[in-house]
Amino acid sequence: MLLHRLNPSIKALTVIAAVIGLALIFDPITPLLFSILTVACTFLFGRVKVKYYLMFLIPFTIISFGMLWTTIVFADAPEHPNQIVHLLLWEVPKEDVIVALSLALRMFAFATLSLMFIFTTDMVGFILSLMQQCKLSPKLAYGVLAGYRFLPLMKEEFQHIQEAHQVRGVKRGKTMKESFKQYKRFVIPLLAGAIRKAERTAVAMESKGFTGSRERSFYRVFTVKGIDWIFFITTLASLIVIAYISYLLGYFSWYQGQF
């Protein structure tokens, strides 16, 4: 799929540029239409499972709804109190609703952009691309990769420690206090295991000639192609067109510190 074949660094740059553009705009129409476009592109041009996508999107949706509600409830006194809209059983100043929708939908738009990047980008490829295109230090990059690879091992080791405690007759804590004490007993073995793994990894990398030098060859080579810049330009052009539609509808506004 197209999104999976794009250069990860250019894709990240596109997401950052779009987020900055959305942060400077403050109206409900632009982030709403841009969110719909982002979700549509994610499923049309990416290989994404709907179930997992919704599992990650639902928490952001709840947070956005919470921001919408709290912004309306705790809003400052409106400049035009006569302009009222009916929201369920309440009468609410129209400008408070617009401000709340702008904040909530902007956060939702950030979430859809982030999910598009996460679900269509291989993290190892992203780190390698940062080294090749953005000249990220290999010491930092391989440290991040090693930590990323350790996460599943840490989970497996935690299960082994838990099973070892059960074999020795240690029962699971029933109350929150007992559970907290039990997890405290897991910390030192986990930490010791992580330090041992880190030392072995460092020795293995040095024995294979890793010096941290930027002058190195790569087995997986990432290049920037024309399609990457087309994606970058098309995304930002779409944001500008959507902002112009919002302007025609009379909603467009720059962000001026509203909250």
Side-chain angles (χ1 to χ4, degrees):
M1 301 298 281
L2 176 63
L3 289 175
H4 295 269
R5 294 201 304 269
L6 292 174
N7 184 286
S9 293
I10 302 299
K11 200 192 305 182
L13 178 66
T14 306
V15 171
I16 292 169
V19 165
I20 292 173
L22 283 168
L24 296 175
I25 297 171
F26 196 78
D27 68 71
I29 301 298
T30 305
L32 173 64
L33 295 181
F34 196 76
S35 299
I36 294 171
L37 179 67
T38 306
V39 173
C41 288
T42 303
F43 285 103
L44 286 175
F45 302 112
R47 192 171 49 255
V48 181
K49 291 184 178 179
V50 178
K51 178 183 174 183
Y52 292 120
Y53 187 87
L54 290 177
M55 281 175 60
F56 280 85
L57 186 62
I58 285 173
F60 291 107
T61 307
I62 294 172
I63 293 171
S64 299
F65 182 77
M67 175 166 278
L68 170 74
W69 182 249
T70 52
T71 306
I72 291 175
V73 172
F74 299 105
D76 295 333
E79 295 180 1
H80 307 286
N82 296 330
Q83 297 179 356
I84 299 294
V85 295
H86 292 276
L87 190 66
L88 298 178
L89 300 176
W90 294 278
E91 292 182 344
V92 184
K94 183 180 178 182
E95 61 186 273
D96 290 347
V97 175
I98 291 176
V99 169
L101 281 172
S102 301
L103 285 170
L105 290 172
R106 188 165 61 171
M107 177 179 286
F108 189 75
F110 292 166
T112 56
L113 275 170
S114 304
L115 291 180
M116 181 197 71
F117 181 80
I118 291 169
F119 278 97
T120 62
T121 306
D122 172 36
M123 295 314 292
V124 177
F126 178 49
I127 298 294
L128 292 175
S129 173
L130 285 178
M131 275 195 287
Q132 295 173 35
Q133 270 76 56
C134 303
K135 305 304 178 188
L136 180 68
S137 167
K139 287 183 180 177
L140 177 61
Y142 281 107
V144 172
L145 278 179
Y148 179 68
R149 291 293 187 190
F150 278 166
L151 288 177
L153 297 177
M154 292 283 285
K155 181 184 175 186
E156 189 178 335
E157 191 160 330
F158 176 77
Q159 289 173 343
H160 289 165
I161 294 171
Q162 206 171 23
E163 289 167 0
H165 278 231
Q166 288 175 357
V167 168
R168 289 168 188 165
V170 180
K171 295 181 180 177
R172 288 191 174 186
K174 294 180 181 178
T175 64
M176 187 176 290
K177 188 177 179 181
E178 289 175 354
S179 299
F180 180 72
K181 284 183 178 178
Q182 195 171 33
Y183 282 115
K184 271 180 68 179
R185 288 197 294 271
F186 296 158
V187 170
I188 292 178
L190 271 177
L191 191 60
I195 293 172
R196 278 199 300 271
K197 283 187 176 62
E199 287 178 350
R200 288 172 192 162
T201 304
V203 170
M205 291 173 72
E206 285 181 2
S207 67
K208 292 180 184 298
F210 179 77
T211 61
S213 170
R214 294 177 189 270
E215 302 299 326
R216 56 182 296 113
S217 58
F218 293 94
Y219 178 71
R220 293 175 63 187
V221 179
F222 288 84
T223 56
V224 180
K225 301 174 184 173
I227 189 68
D228 301 312
W229 291 117
I230 290 174
F231 173 72
F232 178 81
I233 294 169
T234 305
T235 303
L236 296 189
S238 303
L239 179 59
I240 293 171
V241 169
I242 289 172
Y244 184 65
I245 293 172
S246 174
Y247 171 76
L248 293 178
L249 294 173
Y251 285 96
F252 180 81
S253 171
W254 294 107
Y255 179 64
Q256 298 174 346
Q258 299 96 326
F259 191 74

